[in-house]
PDB file of all heavy atoms in Angstrom:
ATOM      1  N   GLY A1281     -44.034-138.997  74.325  1.00 95.00           N
ATOM      2  CA  GLY A1281     -44.539-139.405  75.607  1.00 95.00           C
ATOM      3  C   GLY A1281     -44.343-140.805  75.857  1.00 95.00           C
ATOM      4  O   GLY A1281     -44.270-141.298  77.027  1.00 95.00           O
ATOM      5  N   LEU A1282     -44.188-141.661  74.820  1.00 94.00           N
ATOM      6  CA  LEU A1282     -44.086-143.150  74.980  1.00 94.00           C
ATOM      7  C   LEU A1282     -42.849-143.407  75.762  1.00 94.00           C
ATOM      8  O   LEU A1282     -42.885-144.396  76.639  1.00 94.00           O
ATOM      9  CB  LEU A1282     -44.156-143.846  73.627  1.00 94.00           C
ATOM     10  CG  LEU A1282     -45.406-144.038  72.933  1.00 94.00           C
ATOM     11  CD1 LEU A1282     -45.174-144.708  71.595  1.00 94.00           C
ATOM     12  CD2 LEU A1282     -46.347-144.869  73.781  1.00 94.00           C
ATOM     13  N   SER A1283     -41.799-142.768  75.585  1.00 87.00           N
ATOM     14  CA  SER A1283     -40.475-143.039  76.340  1.00 87.00           C
ATOM     15  C   SER A1283     -40.747-142.781  77.770  1.00 87.00           C
ATOM     16  O   SER A1283     -40.246-143.610  78.607  1.00 87.00           O
ATOM     17  CB  SER A1283     -39.380-142.135  75.854  1.00 87.00           C
ATOM     18  OG  SER A1283     -39.038-142.409  74.498  1.00 87.00           O
ATOM     19  N   ASP A1284     -41.529-141.739  78.175  1.00 89.00           N
ATOM     20  CA  ASP A1284     -41.702-141.529  79.576  1.00 89.00           C
ATOM     21  C   ASP A1284     -42.594-142.559  80.274  1.00 89.00           C
ATOM     22  O   ASP A1284     -42.408-143.162  81.303  1.00 89.00           O
ATOM     23  CB  ASP A1284     -42.416-140.121  79.816  1.00 89.00           C
ATOM     24  CG  ASP A1284     -41.513-139.048  79.364  1.00 89.00           C
ATOM     25  OD1 ASP A1284     -40.294-139.210  79.439  1.00 89.00           O
ATOM     26  OD2 ASP A1284     -42.059-137.958  78.985  1.00 89.00           O
ATOM     27  N   ILE A1285     -43.731-143.062  79.485  1.00 93.00           N
ATOM     28  CA  ILE A1285     -44.549-143.997  79.919  1.00 93.00           C
ATOM     29  C   ILE A1285     -43.749-145.363  80.119  1.00 93.00           C
ATOM     30  O   ILE A1285     -43.947-146.075  81.105  1.00 93.00           O
ATOM     31  CB  ILE A1285     -45.692-144.313  78.992  1.00 93.00           C
ATOM     32  CG1 ILE A1285     -46.644-143.042  78.941  1.00 93.00           C
ATOM     33  CG2 ILE A1285     -46.433-145.540  79.288  1.00 93.00           C
ATOM     34  CD1 ILE A1285     -47.600-142.985  77.807  1.00 93.00           C
ATOM     35  N   LEU A1286     -42.934-145.630  79.082  1.00 95.00           N
ATOM     36  CA  LEU A1286     -42.127-146.882  79.167  1.00 95.00           C
ATOM     37  C   LEU A1286     -41.202-146.931  80.334  1.00 95.00           C
ATOM     38  O   LEU A1286     -41.078-147.981  81.019  1.00 95.00           O
ATOM     39  CB  LEU A1286     -41.288-147.035  77.855  1.00 95.00           C
ATOM     40  CG  LEU A1286     -40.861-148.292  77.371  1.00 95.00           C
ATOM     41  CD1 LEU A1286     -41.894-149.363  77.460  1.00 95.00           C
ATOM     42  CD2 LEU A1286     -40.201-148.287  76.008  1.00 95.00           C
ATOM     43  N   ARG A1287     -40.573-145.758  80.690  1.00 93.00           N
ATOM     44  CA  ARG A1287     -39.663-145.687  81.823  1.00 93.00           C
ATOM     45  C   ARG A1287     -40.442-146.074  83.122  1.00 93.00           C
ATOM     46  O   ARG A1287     -39.982-146.827  83.937  1.00 93.00           O
ATOM     47  CB  ARG A1287     -38.951-144.373  81.944  1.00 93.00           C
ATOM     48  CG  ARG A1287     -37.910-144.108  80.999  1.00 93.00           C
ATOM     49  CD  ARG A1287     -37.039-142.916  81.301  1.00 93.00           C
ATOM     50  NE  ARG A1287     -36.020-142.750  80.241  1.00 93.00           N
ATOM     51  CZ  ARG A1287     -36.088-142.045  79.117  1.00 93.00           C
ATOM     52  NH1 ARG A1287     -37.275-141.458  78.859  1.00 93.00           N
ATOM     53  NH2 ARG A1287     -35.127-142.043  78.307  1.00 93.00           N
ATOM     54  N   GLU A1288     -41.571-145.549  83.257  1.00 94.00           N
ATOM     55  CA  GLU A1288     -42.536-145.828  84.432  1.00 94.00           C
ATOM     56  C   GLU A1288     -42.882-147.342  84.461  1.00 94.00           C
ATOM     57  O   GLU A1288     -42.828-147.954  85.622  1.00 94.00           O
ATOM     58  CB  GLU A1288     -43.712-144.935  84.352  1.00 94.00           C
ATOM     59  CG  GLU A1288     -43.385-143.497  84.633  1.00 94.00           C
ATOM     60  CD  GLU A1288     -44.568-142.533  84.294  1.00 94.00           C
ATOM     61  OE1 GLU A1288     -45.712-143.124  84.086  1.00 94.00           O
ATOM     62  OE2 GLU A1288     -44.387-141.348  84.270  1.00 94.00           O
ATOM     63  N   ASP A1289     -43.275-147.856  83.331  1.00 94.00           N
ATOM     64  CA  ASP A1289     -43.563-149.225  83.180  1.00 94.00           C
ATOM     65  C   ASP A1289     -42.426-150.211  83.630  1.00 94.00           C
ATOM     66  O   ASP A1289     -42.599-151.152  84.283  1.00 94.00           O
ATOM     67  CB  ASP A1289     -44.151-149.598  81.819  1.00 94.00           C
ATOM     68  CG  ASP A1289     -45.525-149.042  81.511  1.00 94.00           C
ATOM     69  OD1 ASP A1289     -46.025-148.460  82.388  1.00 94.00           O
ATOM     70  OD2 ASP A1289     -45.947-149.171  80.363  1.00 94.00           O
ATOM     71  N   ILE A1290     -41.284-149.814  83.104  1.00 95.00           N
ATOM     72  CA  ILE A1290     -40.002-150.704  83.383  1.00 95.00           C
ATOM     73  C   ILE A1290     -39.743-150.549  84.844  1.00 95.00           C
ATOM     74  O   ILE A1290     -39.464-151.638  85.502  1.00 95.00           O
ATOM     75  CB  ILE A1290     -38.863-150.182  82.519  1.00 95.00           C
ATOM     76  CG1 ILE A1290     -39.098-150.532  81.072  1.00 95.00           C
ATOM     77  CG2 ILE A1290     -37.563-150.838  82.972  1.00 95.00           C
ATOM     78  CD1 ILE A1290     -38.075-149.849  80.090  1.00 95.00           C
ATOM     79  N   ALA A1291     -39.807-149.454  85.512  1.00 94.00           N
ATOM     80  CA  ALA A1291     -39.571-149.292  86.877  1.00 94.00           C
ATOM     81  C   ALA A1291     -40.580-150.138  87.747  1.00 94.00           C
ATOM     82  O   ALA A1291     -40.234-150.552  88.855  1.00 94.00           O
ATOM     83  CB  ALA A1291     -39.639-147.789  87.323  1.00 94.00           C
ATOM     84  N   ALA A1292     -41.820-150.381  87.177  1.00 96.00           N
ATOM     85  CA  ALA A1292     -42.755-151.194  87.815  1.00 96.00           C
ATOM     86  C   ALA A1292     -42.643-152.597  87.422  1.00 96.00           C
ATOM     87  O   ALA A1292     -43.587-153.498  87.751  1.00 96.00           O
ATOM     88  CB  ALA A1292     -44.189-150.678  87.549  1.00 96.00           C
ATOM     89  N   GLY A1293     -41.628-152.962  86.704  1.00 96.00           N
ATOM     90  CA  GLY A1293     -41.369-154.447  86.321  1.00 96.00           C
ATOM     91  C   GLY A1293     -42.010-154.787  85.012  1.00 96.00           C
ATOM     92  O   GLY A1293     -42.161-155.953  84.684  1.00 96.00           O
ATOM     93  N   GLY A1294     -42.320-153.810  84.200  1.00 94.00           N
ATOM     94  CA  GLY A1294     -43.021-154.100  82.905  1.00 94.00           C
ATOM     95  C   GLY A1294     -41.925-154.347  81.828  1.00 94.00           C
ATOM     96  O   GLY A1294     -40.732-154.318  82.130  1.00 94.00           O
ATOM     97  N   PRO A1295     -42.408-154.668  80.619  1.00 94.00           N
ATOM     98  CA  PRO A1295     -41.488-155.067  79.494  1.00 94.00           C
ATOM     99  C   PRO A1295     -40.685-153.823  78.980  1.00 94.00           C
ATOM    100  O   PRO A1295     -41.142-152.658  79.126  1.00 94.00           O
ATOM    101  CB  PRO A1295     -42.448-155.542  78.462  1.00 94.00           C
ATOM    102  CG  PRO A1295     -43.680-154.956  78.664  1.00 94.00           C
ATOM    103  CD  PRO A1295     -43.805-154.667  80.188  1.00 94.00           C
ATOM    104  N   PRO A1296     -39.564-154.011  78.289  1.00 95.00           N
ATOM    105  CA  PRO A1296     -38.725-152.991  77.856  1.00 95.00           C
ATOM    106  C   PRO A1296     -39.080-152.362  76.543  1.00 95.00           C
ATOM    107  O   PRO A1296     -38.491-151.411  76.083  1.00 95.00           O
ATOM    108  CB  PRO A1296     -37.366-153.581  77.676  1.00 95.00           C
ATOM    109  CG  PRO A1296     -37.639-154.959  77.354  1.00 95.00           C
ATOM    110  CD  PRO A1296     -38.844-155.337  78.187  1.00 95.00           C
ATOM    111  N   HIS A1297     -40.227-152.866  75.852  1.00 96.00           N
ATOM    112  CA  HIS A1297     -40.596-152.320  74.654  1.00 96.00           C
ATOM    113  C   HIS A1297     -42.168-152.013  74.667  1.00 96.00           C
ATOM    114  O   HIS A1297     -42.845-152.738  75.437  1.00 96.00           O
ATOM    115  CB  HIS A1297     -40.334-153.296  73.519  1.00 96.00           C
ATOM    116  CG  HIS A1297     -38.834-153.564  73.315  1.00 96.00           C
ATOM    117  ND1 HIS A1297     -38.254-154.612  73.978  1.00 96.00           N
ATOM    118  CD2 HIS A1297     -37.874-152.934  72.660  1.00 96.00           C
ATOM    119  CE1 HIS A1297     -36.966-154.621  73.640  1.00 96.00           C
ATOM    120  NE2 HIS A1297     -36.745-153.642  72.876  1.00 96.00           N
ATOM    121  N   PHE A1298     -42.529-151.023  73.829  1.00 94.00           N
ATOM    122  CA  PHE A1298     -43.946-150.715  73.683  1.00 94.00           C
ATOM    123  C   PHE A1298     -44.340-150.815  72.144  1.00 94.00           C
ATOM    124  O   PHE A1298     -43.806-150.256  71.349  1.00 94.00           O
ATOM    125  CB  PHE A1298     -44.253-149.300  74.220  1.00 94.00           C
ATOM    126  CG  PHE A1298     -45.717-148.947  74.096  1.00 94.00           C
ATOM    127  CD1 PHE A1298     -46.545-149.142  75.197  1.00 94.00           C
ATOM    128  CD2 PHE A1298     -46.198-148.405  73.030  1.00 94.00           C
ATOM    129  CE1 PHE A1298     -47.944-148.685  75.264  1.00 94.00           C
ATOM    130  CE2 PHE A1298     -47.556-148.006  72.928  1.00 94.00           C
ATOM    131  CZ  PHE A1298     -48.400-148.133  74.034  1.00 94.00           C
ATOM    132  N   LEU A1299     -45.235-151.804  71.854  1.00 95.00           N
ATOM    133  CA  LEU A1299     -45.572-152.005  70.423  1.00 95.00           C
ATOM    134  C   LEU A1299     -46.537-150.841  70.015  1.00 95.00           C
ATOM    135  O   LEU A1299     -47.523-150.537  70.553  1.00 95.00           O
ATOM    136  CB  LEU A1299     -46.407-153.328  70.333  1.00 95.00           C
ATOM    137  CG  LEU A1299     -45.581-154.694  70.253  1.00 95.00           C
ATOM    138  CD1 LEU A1299     -46.576-155.795  70.187  1.00 95.00           C
ATOM    139  CD2 LEU A1299     -44.687-154.632  68.985  1.00 95.00           C
ATOM    140  N   VAL A1300     -46.150-150.305  68.810  1.00 95.00           N
ATOM    141  CA  VAL A1300     -47.064-149.342  68.187  1.00 95.00           C
ATOM    142  C   VAL A1300     -47.808-149.899  66.963  1.00 95.00           C
ATOM    143  O   VAL A1300     -48.777-149.327  66.578  1.00 95.00           O
ATOM    144  CB  VAL A1300     -46.307-147.965  67.779  1.00 95.00           C
ATOM    145  CG1 VAL A1300     -45.806-147.305  68.970  1.00 95.00           C
ATOM    146  CG2 VAL A1300     -45.176-148.329  66.735  1.00 95.00           C
ATOM    147  N   ASP A1301     -47.262-150.993  66.501  1.00 93.00           N
ATOM    148  CA  ASP A1301     -48.034-151.834  65.553  1.00 93.00           C
ATOM    149  C   ASP A1301     -47.335-153.289  65.616  1.00 93.00           C
ATOM    150  O   ASP A1301     -46.369-153.390  66.334  1.00 93.00           O
ATOM    151  CB  ASP A1301     -48.011-151.246  64.149  1.00 93.00           C
ATOM    152  CG  ASP A1301     -46.807-151.593  63.172  1.00 93.00           C
ATOM    153  OD1 ASP A1301     -45.751-152.219  63.665  1.00 93.00           O
ATOM    154  OD2 ASP A1301     -46.811-151.210  61.951  1.00 93.00           O
ATOM    155  N   PRO A1302     -47.764-154.288  64.983  1.00 93.00           N
ATOM    156  CA  PRO A1302     -47.354-155.616  65.228  1.00 93.00           C
ATOM    157  C   PRO A1302     -45.909-155.904  64.996  1.00 93.00           C
ATOM    158  O   PRO A1302     -45.333-156.739  65.664  1.00 93.00           O
ATOM    159  CB  PRO A1302     -48.219-156.473  64.161  1.00 93.00           C
ATOM    160  CG  PRO A1302     -49.513-155.814  64.002  1.00 93.00           C
ATOM    161  CD  PRO A1302     -49.081-154.224  64.012  1.00 93.00           C
ATOM    162  N   ASP A1303     -45.285-155.049  64.130  1.00 94.00           N
ATOM    163  CA  ASP A1303     -43.716-155.250  63.972  1.00 94.00           C
ATOM    164  C   ASP A1303     -42.926-154.065  64.283  1.00 94.00           C
ATOM    165  O   ASP A1303     -41.780-153.908  63.922  1.00 94.00           O
ATOM    166  CB  ASP A1303     -43.473-155.730  62.522  1.00 94.00           C
ATOM    167  CG  ASP A1303     -44.002-154.742  61.477  1.00 94.00           C
ATOM    168  OD1 ASP A1303     -44.193-153.639  61.867  1.00 94.00           O
ATOM    169  OD2 ASP A1303     -44.118-155.145  60.344  1.00 94.00           O
ATOM    170  N   THR A1304     -43.545-153.042  64.951  1.00 97.00           N
ATOM    171  CA  THR A1304     -42.880-151.814  65.266  1.00 97.00           C
ATOM    172  C   THR A1304     -42.982-151.440  66.738  1.00 97.00           C
ATOM    173  O   THR A1304     -44.134-151.332  67.216  1.00 97.00           O
ATOM    174  CB  THR A1304     -43.431-150.627  64.376  1.00 97.00           C
ATOM    175  OG1 THR A1304     -43.326-151.154  63.023  1.00 97.00           O
ATOM    176  CG2 THR A1304     -42.609-149.455  64.470  1.00 97.00           C
TER     177      THR A1304
END
């Protein structure tokens, strides 16, 4: 599901990555 959320965020001008822990 994170990929779908990320696509929506990017379309709204958000960042290209979603952190799942501080280095991942």
Side-chain angles (χ1 to χ4, degrees):
L1282 281 176
S1283 292
D1284 298 331
I1285 294 168
L1286 199 51
R1287 283 189 181 93
E1288 293 168 9
D1289 287 352
I1290 291 168
H1297 300 92
F1298 183 95
L1299 276 176
V1300 298
D1301 87 353
D1303 58 15
T1304 309

